[in-house]
Amino acid sequence: MALKEELKYRGEQALDQVDQRGGLVDFHKWFLFRNVPAGLSWLHTLGFCLLVVFVSQAITGSILAMHYQPGADTAYESIQRITMEHGWGWLVRGMHKWGASMMIVLMFLHMAASFMMGAYKYPRELTWISGVLILVMMLAMGLTGYLLVWDQRAFWASVVAINLNGTAPFLGPYISEFLRGGATYSADIIPRFYALHMLLIPGALGGLIALHMYLVTRLGVTPAPWKTEDPANDPEAWS
Amino acid sequence: MRDDEGAIVSDTAHEPAKNGDTPRGGKDMTRGQFLTAGTLAVGGVMGALIAVPVAGMALAPVFGGSDFEAVFIGKLDEFQDGVFTKVVLHPHSDKPDAYVRKKVAFVRLNKGGKGDSLALKGQEEYSVISNVCMHLGCPVQASNAGFVCPCHGGAYNKDGKRQAGPPVRPLDRYIWEKRGEELWATAIYSLDKNGHRHEHRDPGQHTAGPEKLFYPLQP
């Protein structure tokens, strides 16, 4: 056989073996090769944008974590070193910082678009609820990550944010005390926020995002509300 | 039981098991139900063995109580009648993160024990007012009429009572005592607009009015 056909054959054989053992090829077909309704717009890409930014944050955050040193005396200097000395550190740090703002902007746009199109209605209620939980977790990521710079702005913004949490009725004082790690501010707050930012909240987010995406894949994309015909009766509604 | 030809048509040994009455009046269960319940119970114990210590460690700081220790304010002759002096307090100065724990207070001598509308009984001679704004915790600055907060425009009068803006109660105060020629702070407390003492709480939590009911408990 010609080389190209030989390689194609070998590649298919390899994929076949993987699929027989793990069903991974079938899973990817189920996940990626989906039908979507006709008449979608750019607003429908916001969810995937969020996923891309989340992956970028996770990867840039992991690399930053190799050089960041949590601790009252070392945090600020380690970030200075990342920005000034390490190769491309300024770029990765910048990606992480701006990515955080992008997450918040995209989340609100995605939430607004989903709400306006009625994508929260039956059977997609769980998708909406998991999305709201993701929103709360992402805001918590922003809060915990902001302190880690340990400059004046970071510290005082965190003081205000912790006090904000404390104003919630009944449990508020306990939430703010939990975040602060006690009755008064001390340097212990850095490793506390670092553990939340690196381990606890990303763990919760991983599960929630997986659930969210499974539900979206299983239930399908909501038909656009500006299609006047009932999708159930329109044979061309699904392309 | 057997049919007319003697073939077995129903057989209690092969009927699906169901809970029934035992001879002594109890209810029995199948092996499968027992093992399921047992597995769940053991799993629950294993989960608790891990979760309880972890949750305890995560939540212990919340219930640890206050670590306020008496802190030196200044020498008595530094403070003037009717005028505030800004003082930096250094609690826990032996700890390496002492710079994070610094606090600022405004101290005023009230000659004759008059001039402070919010003072507690026995605390009229000096006013030691915290600089933490009672809206969200920004540091307040002294102004002509009292104190103002640069963050969201909260304004207080010279006794720390809220005059305008989003703060929800007067500025917190320190309980002071004289030790020889020095002034020391021995406790911090929150007050309502009449000067009554309340348990110290974070900014933004009301001490008076109907919103007070939202904050019945402090950690």
Side-chain angles (χ1 to χ4, degrees):
Chain A
M1 271 190 263
L3 179 64
K4 198 167 121 186
E5 278 151 19
E6 176 80 19
L7 283 174
K8 187 159 173 290
Y9 174 68
R10 296 275 175 217
E12 277 169 6
Q13 286 287 79
L15 279 178
D16 229 2
Q17 300 203 338
V18 170
D19 195 33
Q20 279 173 24
R21 286 156 180 76
L24 292 172
V25 177
D26 273 349
F27 171 76
H28 274 90
K29 283 191 182 154
W30 173 78
F31 182 54
L32 292 176
F33 291 87
R34 304 179 245 160
N35 291 336
V36 291
L40 295 187
S41 76
W42 282 97
L43 290 171
H44 290 82
T45 61
L46 286 167
F48 182 71
C49 288
L50 275 164
L51 185 65
V52 167
V53 177
F54 176 71
V55 169
S56 163
Q57 290 295 93
I59 295 178
T60 54
S62 305
I63 306 303
L64 288 170
M66 292 182 184
H67 298 283
Y68 173 75
Q69 297 180 24
D73 301 323
T74 50
Y76 188 75
E77 280 83 23
S78 68
I79 292 186
Q80 291 291 93
R81 273 202 300 279
I82 289 173
T83 313
M84 304 295 183
E85 293 177 15
H86 292 298
W88 298 28
W90 56 271
L91 181 58
V92 175
R93 183 189 174 198
M95 285 169 67
H96 197 77
K97 182 184 102 133
W98 290 101
S101 299
M102 284 307 302
M103 284 296 296
I104 307 294
V105 168
L106 285 172
M107 268 201 307
F108 278 95
L109 287 174
H110 178 59
M111 187 164 69
S114 303
F115 180 75
M116 289 303 171
M117 297 198 212
Y120 54 87
K121 296 181 190 173
Y122 175 84
R124 296 178 177 87
E125 298 99 325
L126 259 186
T127 316
W128 176 265
I129 291 173
S130 61
V132 169
L133 289 173
I134 291 172
L135 172 71
V136 173
M137 291 288 118
M138 283 297 180
L139 293 175
M141 286 293 272
L143 165 63
T144 50
Y146 207 77
L147 176 80
L148 301 180
V149 185
W150 201 240
D151 56 10
Q152 286 287 342
R153 179 175 63 188
F155 179 75
W156 290 107
S158 303
V159 166
V160 167
I162 290 174
N163 288 330
L164 253 171
N165 278 288
T167 62
F170 306 115
L171 285 183
Y174 294 88
I175 298 174
S176 64
E177 195 124 324
F178 171 75
L179 284 171
R180 197 186 305 135
T184 51
Y185 292 93
S186 69
D188 292 342
I189 201 174
I190 302 182
R192 196 172 183 84
F193 272 35
Y194 195 48
L196 283 169
H197 188 75
M198 280 242 293
L199 301 170
L200 274 171
I201 306 179
L205 269 172
L208 282 169
I209 291 177
L211 171 66
H212 194 79
M213 297 191 49
Y214 164 72
L215 287 169
V216 169
T217 309
R218 179 170 190 268
L219 298 169
V221 177
T222 314
W226 48 77
K227 293 282 284 180
T228 48
E229 290 151 44
D230 184 354
N233 298 331
D234 179 7
E236 287 181 18
W238 296 84
S239 58
Chain B
M1 90 182 68
R2 293 174 187 268
D3 65 9
D4 293 334
E5 274 114 37
I8 294 174
V9 292
S10 80
D11 177 352
T12 48
H14 290 92
E15 276 167 13
K18 49 187 179 295
N19 283 1
D21 294 320
T22 59
R24 279 182 295 180
K27 288 269 181 224
D28 62 7
M29 60 165 65
T30 66
R31 254 189 310 216
Q33 288 168 332
F34 175 76
L35 288 173
T36 305
T39 306
L40 286 176
V42 171
V45 168
M46 281 161 49
L49 277 174
I50 297 177
V52 168
V54 167
M57 185 173 174
L59 294 173
V62 177
F63 301 100
S66 170
D67 60 349
F68 191 94
E69 65 174 26
V71 57
F72 171 70
I73 302 177
K75 294 231 177 310
L76 292 182
D77 49 22
E78 289 171 21
F79 307 120
Q80 300 163 39
D81 180 32
V83 174
F84 278 108
T85 308
K86 191 161 119 172
V87 178
V88 179
L89 310 178
H90 297 273
H92 300 281
S93 52
D94 53 315
K95 295 217 167 77
D97 62 352
Y99 71 96
V100 182
R101 300 167 184 266
K102 280 191 295 189
K103 301 265 175 267
V104 170
F106 297 102
V107 186
R108 176 184 69 195
L109 167 64
N110 305 310
K111 266 225 173 71
K114 297 222 182 344
D116 189 346
S117 61
L118 296 178
L120 292 178
K121 257 204 168 61
Q123 292 271 302
E124 296 94 340
E125 191 182 347
Y126 289 92
S127 308
V128 183
I129 302 181
S130 164
N131 80 330
V132 177
C133 180
M134 286 297 120
H135 174 221
L136 286 174
C138 287
V140 301
Q141 304 162 355
S143 73
N144 288 336
F147 306 96
V148 285
C149 181
C151 287
H152 311 101
Y156 305 85
N157 71 1
K158 286 213 185 303
D159 295 334
K161 186 168 174 188
R162 176 208 166 246
Q163 301 297 114
V168 302
R169 60 180 205 255
L171 293 170
D172 287 348
R173 287 174 175 231
Y174 291 91
I175 300 278
W176 55 265
E177 69 178 24
K178 291 193 220 176
R179 298 185 181 180
E181 287 303 305
E182 299 176 346
L183 197 63
W184 282 67
T186 52
I188 186 170
Y189 68 97
S190 302
L191 31 153
D192 63 26
K193 58 185 193 295
N194 299 317
H196 297 133
R197 179 177 177 175
H198 294 262
E199 198 180 348
H200 175 64
R201 61 200 61 198
D202 283 338
Q205 297 175 25
H206 297 71
T207 45
E211 296 96 338
K212 188 173 84 157
L213 297 169
F214 284 145
Y215 309 106
L217 296 169
Q218 292 292 324

